[in-house]
Structures are given as structure tokens and as C-alpha cells.
């Protein structure tokens, strides 16, 4: 089984060691599954992520800018032997558009992990990297009809190029937020968004041990759910996502 783990930004803007990330992702997969990190082609406006990130104002605009490029790459994946595509970003950019183009499963970590959490608990807390992520995340939750299960969204207010050197700070801050979500809002489990921090820098298992409640790993949950879909022959419904017959060439053609 081949699964594409699709980064949200072009390769020249990747801020992590692709080899080590790919090794981590494959450690979550079952035997016989290969998870491959891929990137969308560069596109006009791809610098928006860096500009807004440097201002600590990641508010979802970068995801809107990159959506067409992500859809094209998802179509490319379906035509080049991949069994499923998982969006690496935990805010699910490009997922709905990709499902309107291909038949293979297209998985978003936010939707998948929040639903998994809802199977195991009644009340869910969420952490995000920055305050600017909070209103954006509430809008996404309303879109997927899960906002009523979320007790609150709390921001670490940690982001930047030095996150690998701030592992202890990220761990301590996140555990504190999780405990507050439990005691102040009644959360029974937590979904940490912002994969560049969790799990790439901090293992959710360490947060779970420190906070004493289930903390979901968005990457591992998404990979195992994608494996289940492929193994059982499941994918998104064509009634929910009706699609025309389109090819990668159609998506790059101009009028």
C-alpha cells in the first residue's frame, strides 16, 4: 500500500528534515504500507505562509492560497499509483477539493482525528500553535459539524524556526493547556493541532502521560484510518462528493 503524505507548501519552503519526518510517519504505519512525503508544485502566492508565519498571524489565508496546487497534486497521486492521500497539515487544506477529483481516499487529519476522539469521549479539547488559529479552527469545526463536542480551543502561542530547540517549553506549555482544558472546560480528551510542533517535535504520548488524559496523534490516526479505508475498499461517497472525469492535464490546462 502506498500513501502520499502531502505537505501543504512547496518543497523549497519545507522547514523540517523530510527524511526524519518520513521515517517517523512510517513508524506509525502497518507492515506493507509505504508512506511517502510529497509536495505541491510552487504557485503564485506560496510566500504568504512565510510572511504571515513571521508575523505569527497564521489565520488560514495560506491554506486558501494553496488549495488549487494541492488539488492538482492529489490528482497526480491518483494517476501515479498511490492508494490514498493524507494532507499533512492538521487544518485539512485541499481535502474537499481533492475529493471532488479523485476516487482514492483523501484524508484530513482534523476531521479524522476529531471523529476518532468522539468515538472514545464525549467532550474534546483542542490545542493550536497560535491565537490566530483559534477562530479559523472554530470555523472548520462548524463546517464539519463537530463544534458542539469541543469544549474550547487553547493556543500555545509558540511558533517559529527554533521550535526544535524549544521542546521542553512546548511540552510544559501544552501539558498546562491540556490540564486547564480538563479542569476549566470539562474536556475528556485532547486533539493537538499543528503537526510541526506535535508530533514532529513533541510526542503526544509524552503529553498524555504528563496530563493524564488521552491525547491523540493526528498523524498516526490519519495513517491508520487511510490504511483501513484502502484495506476495506472504502472511500468518500460520490453522492457527497460528485465528481466529473478529470485528469491532471485538465487541472493544469488554461483557456
Amino acid at each position: 500500500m502506498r500513501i502520499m503524505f502531502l505537505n501543504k507548501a512547496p518543497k523549497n519552503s519545507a522547514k523540517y528534515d523530510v527524511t526524519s519526518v518520513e521515517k517517523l510517519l512510517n513508524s506509525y504505519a502497518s507492515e506493507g504500507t509505504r508512506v511517502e512525503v510529497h509536495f505541491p508544485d510552487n504557485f503564485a502566492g506560496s510566500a504568504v505562509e512565510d510572511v504571515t508565519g513571521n508575523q505569527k498571524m497564521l489565520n488560514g489565508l495560506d491554506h486558501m492560497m494553496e488549495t488549487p496546487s494541492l488539488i492538482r497534486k492529489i490528482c497526480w497521486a491518483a494517476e501515479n499509483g498511490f492508494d490514498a492521500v493524507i494532507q499533512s497539515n492538521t487544518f485539512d487544506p485541499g481535502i474537499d477539493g481533492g475529493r471532488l477529483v479523485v476516487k482514492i481516499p483523501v484524508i484530513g487529519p482534523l476531521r479524522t482525528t476529531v471523529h476518532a476522539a468522539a468515538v472514545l469521549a464525549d467532550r474534546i479539547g483542542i490545542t493550536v500553535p497560535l491565537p490566530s488559529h483559534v477562530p479559523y479552527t472554530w470555523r472548520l469545526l462548524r463546517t464539519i459539524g463537530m463544534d458542539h463536542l469541543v469544549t474550547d480551543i487553547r493556543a500555545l502561542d509558540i511558533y517559529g524556526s527554533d521550535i526544535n530547540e524549544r521542546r521542553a517549553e512546548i511540552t510544559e506549555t501544552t501539558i498546562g493547556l491540556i490540564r486547564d482544558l480538563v479542569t476549566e472546560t470539562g474536556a475528556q480528551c485532547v486533539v493537538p493541532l499543528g503537526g510541526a510542533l506535535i508530533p514532529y517535535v513533541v510526542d503526544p504520548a509524552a503529553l498524555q502521560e504528563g496530563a493524564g488524559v488521552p491525547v491523540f496523534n493526528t498523524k498516526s490516526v490519519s495513517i491508520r484510518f487511510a490504511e483501513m479505508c484502502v484495506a476495506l475498499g472504502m472511500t468518500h461517497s460520490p453522492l457527497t462528493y460528485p465528481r466529473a472525469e478529470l485528469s491532471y492535464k485538465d487541472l493544469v490546462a488554461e483557456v
Side-chain angles (χ1 to χ4, degrees), residues 1-214:
M1 186 186 304
R2 290 177 73 204
I3 297 176
M4 175 185 286
F5 218 84
L6 180 57
N7 196 73
K8 76 182 188 73
K11 189 172 184 178
N12 58 4
S13 67
K15 298 177 177 63
Y16 57 81
D17 181 344
V18 174
T19 301
S20 64
V21 167
E22 198 168 78
K23 181 179 179 180
L24 177 65
L25 296 174
N26 277 281
S27 75
Y28 300 145
S30 303
E31 185 177 354
T33 296
R34 173 64 184 169
V35 181
E36 302 178 22
V37 174
H38 282 258
F39 299 83
D41 296 330
N42 208 345
F43 55 90
S46 59
V48 167
E49 178 188 10
D50 286 340
V51 175
T52 56
N54 290 336
Q55 298 176 31
K56 290 190 175 181
M57 193 51 65
L58 292 171
N59 54 16
L61 176 61
D62 54 323
H63 299 166
M64 299 170 193
M65 299 289 291
E66 66 212 10
T67 295
S69 187
L70 293 173
I71 294 170
R72 289 192 290 268
K73 194 68 176 186
I74 291 168
C75 186
W76 182 91
E79 293 181 2
N80 284 272
F82 286 92
D83 298 297
V85 175
I86 299 171
Q87 168 52 238
S88 73
N89 186 271
T90 57
F91 299 92
D92 294 4
I95 293 302
D96 278 352
R99 289 178 173 183
L100 293 172
V101 177
V102 302
K103 297 179 181 179
I104 63 173
V106 179
I107 306 302
L110 170 63
R111 181 177 296 196
T112 302
T113 310
V114 168
H115 277 84
V119 173
L120 300 174
D122 293 329
R123 294 168 64 78
I124 303 165
I126 290 179
T127 65
V128 294
L130 295 170
S132 57
H133 284 121
V134 173
Y136 178 49
T137 305
W138 278 121
R139 289 197 299 275
L140 294 174
L141 290 167
R142 287 194 295 272
T143 299
I144 64 174
M146 298 297 283
D147 57 308
H148 64 291
L149 296 179
V150 174
T151 63
D152 201 8
I153 303 170
R154 302 284 174 93
L156 282 71
D157 205 10
I158 298 175
Y159 190 79
S161 59
D162 61 344
I163 54 175
N164 286 314
E165 289 73 48
R166 302 173 69 181
R167 179 178 286 106
E169 178 189 0
I170 295 169
T171 301
E172 181 181 358
T173 301
T174 307
I175 289 175
L177 289 179
I178 292 172
R179 288 174 175 168
D180 289 345
L181 283 165
V182 172
T183 59
E184 296 175 7
T185 75
Q188 299 161 347
C189 68
V190 170
V191 175
L193 302 182
L197 276 64
I198 306 165
Y200 289 172
V201 176
V202 174
D203 188 344
L207 302 175
Q208 179 169 293
E209 182 179 357
V213 294

Side-chain angles (χ1 to χ4, degrees), residues 1 3 28-33 35 84 222-232:
M1 186 186 304
I3 297 176
Y28 300 145
S30 303
E31 185 177 354
T33 296
V35 181
S222 299
I223 289 170
R224 290 305 181 104
F225 183 75
E227 288 182 329
M228 182 192 73
C229 288
V230 175
L232 297 180

